[in-house]
Amino acid sequence: MTLLSLSQLTASYGATQALFGVDFEIAEGEALAMMGRNGMGKTTTVRCICRMMPAKGALVFDGHDLSRLPSHRAARLGIGLVPEGRRCFRDLSVTENLSAAARPGAWDAAKVEALFPRLGERRGQLAGSLSGGEQQMLAIGRALMTNPRLLILDEATEGLAPTVRAEIWAAIATLKASGMSMLVIDKSLKELRGACDRVVILERGRSVWDGTMSALSPDVVEAMLGL
């Protein structure tokens, strides 16, 4: 069953067009990697899905036309976002950050702390006093507390120490094994190969390649990603 579908998605920042035709689908229980060089439209696509900016084209989540919905209603349908840059509530504690986002479902504070034990050790600590890696764990935990049907992770490991990156990738693998549908934006091809089923590549605001991770050849990686 298709959970999210984008077709000929276009979007602009004022007079400057950023997306010229983004197309992809995510099935229930599937993890899709979205890749591309910097400035190719990945975060803009995420903003459109989460209804943080207007877009044209077909944008459908679980049969609902997202283009007609404000961001809070899109979230209530089950879209959970881990934004680029973490954006925790710095003046709230770890527990307060988690409870602020809580919605009924399988994910609760205890389950988040089992996924990220560091958060359990810092329940009463203000988010602003956490390390960068711990803040990223909190941002993921906060998104999970909304009990999403689709989890979007926008550069969730960028700028983190290798040991923390490994912890977060291990958590992503755990989520994948549990059947969580995910859209993962990252540059780490090795880790994405282990965590995702398929990949879509954006170039200049367009989808230019879509396929399984096993079909992603070195020639495609070099030509379209420069890796």
Side-chain angles (χ1 to χ4, degrees):
M1 172 185 168
T2 300
L3 182 61
L4 176 70
S5 175
L6 282 66
S7 179
Q8 286 302 294
L9 194 73
T10 63
S12 301
Y13 293 96
T16 304
Q17 189 167 349
L19 300 183
F20 295 84
V22 175
D23 306 87
F24 63 79
E25 293 183 349
I26 302 176
E28 192 89 49
E30 182 179 43
L32 176 72
M34 181 161 61
M35 302 190 72
R37 294 181 175 92
N38 291 338
M40 293 300 174
K42 304 184 296 297
T43 294
T44 300
T45 300
V46 169
R47 290 176 60 84
C48 292
I49 294 170
C50 295
R51 308 310 305 130
M52 292 185 286
M53 66 180 293
K56 295 181 180 179
L59 182 56
V60 180
F61 180 77
D62 191 30
H64 298 271
D65 182 359
L66 288 179
S67 66
R68 297 178 178 271
L69 300 179
S71 58
H72 69 277
R73 289 190 59 194
R76 287 175 184 170
L77 288 176
I79 299 175
L81 173 63
V82 181
E84 187 177 20
R86 306 174 191 112
R87 301 181 195 174
C88 301
F89 301 120
R90 296 180 60 84
D91 295 329
L92 297 183
S93 69
V94 168
T95 296
E96 289 167 338
N97 265 271
L98 296 178
S99 61
R103 296 186 67 211
W107 282 95
D108 57 18
K111 195 167 181 181
V112 168
E113 290 173 6
L115 185 67
F116 294 119
R118 293 195 198 194
L119 298 182
E121 297 167 1
R122 292 158 174 75
R123 290 174 189 158
Q125 195 168 326
L126 294 182
S129 68
L130 300 176
S131 70
E134 290 163 352
Q135 288 184 21
Q136 190 62 279
M137 293 174 190
L138 181 57
I140 296 171
R142 185 182 58 192
L144 290 172
M145 288 288 287
T146 69
N147 277 284
R149 296 188 61 195
L150 173 68
L151 182 66
I152 302 176
L153 300 114
D154 191 359
E155 301 284 4
T157 66
E158 186 176 26
L160 300 179
T163 54
V164 178
R165 286 169 53 86
E167 286 185 58
I168 290 176
W169 281 114
I172 292 171
T174 297
L175 295 172
K176 175 69 174 69
S178 75
M180 176 73 72
S181 305
M182 292 187 288
L183 175 61
V184 186
I185 299 93
D186 207 282
K187 300 179 181 69
S188 303
L189 182 57
K190 178 182 177 181
E191 285 80 6
L192 287 171
R193 285 189 186 278
C196 295
D197 304 296
R198 292 189 305 111
V199 58
V200 59
I201 298 175
L202 302 191
E203 188 170 279
R204 297 182 181 179
R206 292 182 174 87
S207 301
V208 293
W209 196 92
D210 188 333
T212 63
M213 276 295 183
S214 59
L216 187 61
S217 68
D219 288 346
V220 171
V221 171
E222 183 177 358
M224 295 184 180
L225 300 173
L227 300 177

